[in-house]
Structure formats: C-alpha cells, structure tokens
Amino acid sequence: MEYTRKQLTAEIAGLRQLFDDVKLVDAAAHQVLDPETLEPTGPADEVPVLDERGRAWKPLFLEDTTCFTLYWSVRPEGRPCVLCVTYDLPHADAGNTREANAFYRLLTQARDEMCHDYVTGVYNRTHLDSAFRGHVSAAARDGEKVSAALVRVNEYATLCRSESVAAADRCLNTAAGVLSLALDGMGTETTLIRLEDGVFLVVAVGVSARELENCLQEALRNARRNFGITLARRGEFTATVASADWVETGSWDLMVSLAESRLYNP
C-alpha cells in the first residue's frame, strides 16, 4: 500500500489509539524508522515472512505479557517497509469472558511448549528471541556483568550420521543434565538454551565469561558423561566450551558471535 509520509504519520497516530505499540520497520535492515523522516531510530526484531497480500502475524511471549503482533507491507514514498502493530492480551481472569480466559490459558500452555526444546526440556531459540535478549540487554545497560558461553557436544553430528537421531538425542539429554546441574550451583542468574547442531548457549548475568567458562569446564570434567547408543552399547560424549563478555563487544549479537568464533577457531 502506497503512502506519503504525511498519510503514514496520520495512519500511525490513529493506530496508536487502538494498539499498545505501533512501529514502522525496515525489514531488510532490521531497523525501526521514524515515519516522518524515514530515518532509523533503533534496532528492530526480525519480521516473519509475509504472505501474498503482504501480511503476517505472530504471538509474542514476553516475560510478563502475551501479545499479538500484526504485520503488513507499506510503501511510504516508494520505500518498502513493514508496519508492525502489537496488542497486549489482558491476563486471564482480568474481567474477561470465560471463552477469553480459556483462550489465554491455551496460549500460556503453547508459550511453555514453544519456548522449550522438546528433546532436552531446556529453553530453545524461541525463548531466546522473544523474551531473553531484551532482559539481558537491560541488565548490561544497568552495569551488571553479562557473559555468554557456547558448549558444543562434539559427538552429536557423528551420532546422527553413523548411529541414529535417537542416540544423538540421548547424548544431548545427558549433556543438558550436566550443564543444568552446573548452572544450578552457580547461585546467579543463568539460562541454558539449546541451539542447532548439538550446541548449547549459556547466558549469565552477574558473572564474567572466565568464571562461567571455568564452571562449565569443571562440571564437564567431573560429571559422568555416559549415554546409551543402543540397549547394548554405551558411549561417552566430550564437549568444547568458548565464552565472551558483553564488555568486549557492547551488544548481544556481537557477544554471541565472538563466543562462536572462539568455539570454532580456538
């Protein structure tokens, strides 16, 4: 839909009376734009794939809010952009009808399932992208230590190729258990997230990267790392750990990228 800047500004002003948040986004550059100047004002979350009508929607599960965001393609002065409007759902029993509360409870259950890895039970990338990144960024702005560590289960790819996906999953389950116990004993705010290809991400607030990496390394050295390949055979996994501090990079993406570089290029 074509707009002049004046028309789009008026449209956004009207939408802000109906929705909790309205943003104009350059999806390719991942930037929020000022509708009056079309200049970037800050980073934007990734926009889902739009349908043939230039529309999309998705639920967002923030720390204390469930909301829906609607997306549609607009072209202010010929520039391809996306308008993102968000509606925060009221909490269950907050004066809602029985049907609305039932729907909210279903969403809460879906949130729990969507934010956890079905193999290991730890958090997955959905939780990372929808809830945790903003929280960690806020902690860093408040001057707290923030660190990240990547843990690669070295045998995962080989198990998938030469044994079975089930054997690889049992290996990951064992690794997740070792890492979870290590983080429970740290006494600080930590989150364990399964990424792809047998890699876990650990994010810690209040702990330096060196402290986090040492804790994980020690736990992996001292733990029983055996898992069942088949009913008759057992294996033992090994893991490689690499970490990075927020202060080294100043942003979430660069911190994780630095840890990844150290993991694959020691």
Side-chain angles (χ1 to χ4, degrees):
M1 186 177 295
E2 297 285 345
Y3 285 94
T4 65
R5 296 188 196 183
K6 184 176 181 180
Q7 288 172 333
L8 185 59
T9 300
E11 179 90 354
I12 290 175
L15 289 171
R16 281 178 174 156
Q17 299 181 48
L18 303 173
F19 293 91
D20 294 287
D21 188 32
V22 182
K23 293 177 182 176
L24 180 67
V25 170
D26 184 329
H30 299 286
Q31 291 288 322
V32 177
L33 303 179
D34 183 320
E36 294 185 358
T37 65
L38 300 184
E39 293 295 322
T41 61
D45 294 332
E46 185 175 353
V47 172
V49 177
L50 305 179
D51 63 17
E52 65 277 2
R53 298 178 300 168
R55 299 178 183 179
W57 69 275
K58 69 177 180 181
L60 294 177
F61 302 113
L62 306 179
E63 288 191 54
D64 56 356
T65 304
T66 299
C67 53
F68 278 107
T69 298
L70 310 176
Y71 305 83
W72 67 85
S73 176
V74 295
R75 294 178 64 87
E77 300 188 352
R79 179 173 176 175
C81 298
V82 177
L83 201 57
C84 311
V85 298
T86 300
Y87 173 68
D88 295 342
L89 294 178
H91 290 286
D93 301 321
N96 297 327
T97 64
R98 183 176 63 182
E99 291 80 5
N101 285 331
F103 179 63
Y104 191 90
R105 285 193 293 272
L106 285 173
L107 282 177
T108 302
Q109 181 180 349
R111 168 185 181 162
D112 188 62
E113 293 178 355
M114 289 175 63
C115 290
H116 286 84
D117 173 47
Y118 70 96
V119 172
T120 62
V122 302
Y123 285 118
N124 61 14
R125 190 177 285 278
T126 298
H127 171 78
L128 175 68
D129 293 337
S130 67
F132 202 65
R133 292 178 58 154
H135 170 68
V136 170
S137 299
R141 288 195 298 270
D142 291 341
E144 296 191 64
K145 293 179 182 177
V146 173
S147 58
L150 289 173
V151 182
R152 183 183 67 223
V153 178
N154 298 320
E155 289 73 19
Y156 178 77
T158 301
L159 287 167
C160 287
R161 289 195 308 268
S162 61
E163 297 292 346
S164 66
V165 173
D169 287 348
R170 287 192 288 272
C171 177
L172 284 187
N173 257 318
T174 303
V178 172
L179 297 173
S180 295
L181 285 174
L183 298 177
D184 287 344
M186 287 193 69
T188 188
E189 183 182 356
T190 56
T191 298
L192 177 63
I193 299 153
R194 181 192 170 186
L195 302 181
E196 297 80 20
D197 301 324
V199 177
F200 292 93
L201 170 65
V202 180
V203 184
V205 176
V207 178
S208 70
R210 177 64 62 86
E211 293 171 311
L212 178 61
E213 184 172 337
N214 287 344
C215 173
L216 297 173
Q217 293 278 23
E218 183 178 0
L220 288 164
R221 279 195 302 269
N222 297 330
R224 295 183 61 184
R225 291 174 276 111
N226 303 102
F227 64 95
I229 297 176
T230 66
L231 289 175
R233 291 189 297 126
R234 295 185 65 79
E236 183 177 8
F237 77 87
T238 61
T240 303
V241 183
S243 62
D245 275 306
W246 183 285
V247 294
E248 295 182 87
T249 60
S251 76
W252 168 272
D253 290 323
L254 290 177
M255 177 180 67
V256 176
S257 294
L258 180 58
E260 184 177 25
S261 175
R262 290 169 174 169
L263 181 68
Y264 292 102
N265 303 286

